[in-house]
Amino acid sequence: MRLKLYLSLTLLAVQRPYDIRSKPGRAWAELLDLPDPGVNGARRIADALSWLSDARLLKLDRRPGLPSDITLLNPSGDGRKYAWNSGRYISLPLDVWTQGWILSLSGTAVALLLVLLEMQGGKAIHDPPWLTGVQRKRYGLSDDTWTRAAKELESRQLLTVRRIPQGKEFDYRRLRNTYWVNLPHLASPAP
């Protein structure tokens, strides 16, 4: 839920000072289709905002009796001001929100979707990306999380996983999974 909320915040806070003013937790809970948005959903949003603030991904300006103002901070978590840079970034299609995928997918599936989009950047469908175990660890997803999220994305036809051999003719040939995100399918309504 934290990831979905953070992505939704970055979707809306697109201009300097990269902030969102006076949006109640209930509204965020409704946006993310949380049960009981007025009470329990709003509480989950408040907990997620506090966690994101503690992780130095955003700053909360708390105002007694009013919703907090939210200002995005640098996504590296170093607490610096938010700034667009010319480095590599990942872009999620707007269809993730407009077609309801942000609601339909689990948080772990959304996290893996981001990882796979980063991996897929610059690749062609005939040369899908694959990862070694060491490379996979840099994303911080456990093997179990990776497997469950990949199965979820596959079941929704958002991901194609294939096994291909790696190695030369006389080398030990190891089978590796390749991953390809079916971006056009995101334009379809989420189940």
Side-chain angles (χ1 to χ4, degrees):
M1 216 279 301
R2 297 172 190 155
L3 177 61
K4 291 179 180 186
L5 178 60
Y6 182 73
L7 292 173
S8 298
L9 291 167
T10 61
L11 175 71
L12 296 176
V14 294
Q15 289 183 313
R16 277 189 174 87
Y18 305 108
D19 64 351
I20 298 168
R21 305 250 176 230
S22 299
K23 301 290 184 236
R26 174 198 42 76
W28 291 110
E30 288 172 358
L31 174 79
L32 295 174
D33 199 29
L34 297 178
D36 189 17
V39 180
N40 291 329
R43 185 176 302 124
R44 286 185 64 196
I45 293 297
D47 290 345
L49 287 172
S50 291
W51 187 93
L52 291 166
S53 177
D54 291 345
R56 300 184 339 158
L57 295 170
L58 55 82
K59 183 178 83 168
L60 294 175
D61 293 320
R62 299 183 193 275
R63 301 171 308 150
L66 296 170
S68 297
D69 289 336
I70 302 164
T71 304
L72 294 181
L73 298 175
N74 191 305
S76 68
D78 63 8
R80 290 183 295 148
K81 284 186 172 187
Y82 189 89
W84 283 97
N85 62 28
S86 59
R88 187 168 165 86
Y89 61 92
I90 302 165
S91 176
L92 270 180
L94 192 55
D95 293 330
V96 170
W97 285 269
T98 61
Q99 297 302 324
W101 292 104
I102 196 77
L103 305 176
S104 176
L105 295 173
S106 68
T108 54
V110 172
L112 184 61
L113 182 62
L114 287 168
V115 167
L116 296 172
L117 288 172
E118 194 270 332
M119 285 174 45
Q120 188 169 307
K123 295 275 188 175
I125 194 166
H126 64 274
D127 183 28
W130 57 273
L131 287 172
T132 66
V134 173
Q135 291 170 318
R136 187 187 284 193
K137 290 201 184 306
R138 79 178 177 159
Y139 292 107
L141 299 176
S142 71
D143 291 340
D144 181 55
T145 297
W146 188 287
T147 300
R148 279 185 292 115
K151 286 182 180 182
E152 181 180 344
L153 293 172
E154 276 186 290
S155 73
R156 308 282 178 102
Q157 291 134 15
L158 291 174
L159 179 63
T160 301
V161 179
R162 293 208 168 90
R163 300 204 31 95
I164 61 168
Q166 296 293 310
K168 306 256 188 246
E169 289 77 24
F170 294 106
D171 291 342
Y172 170 74
R173 294 191 74 140
R174 178 180 181 150
L175 289 176
R176 298 233 185 245
N177 287 342
T178 64
Y179 302 91
W180 191 259
V181 176
N182 181 7
L183 284 173
H185 190 63
L186 285 170
S188 306

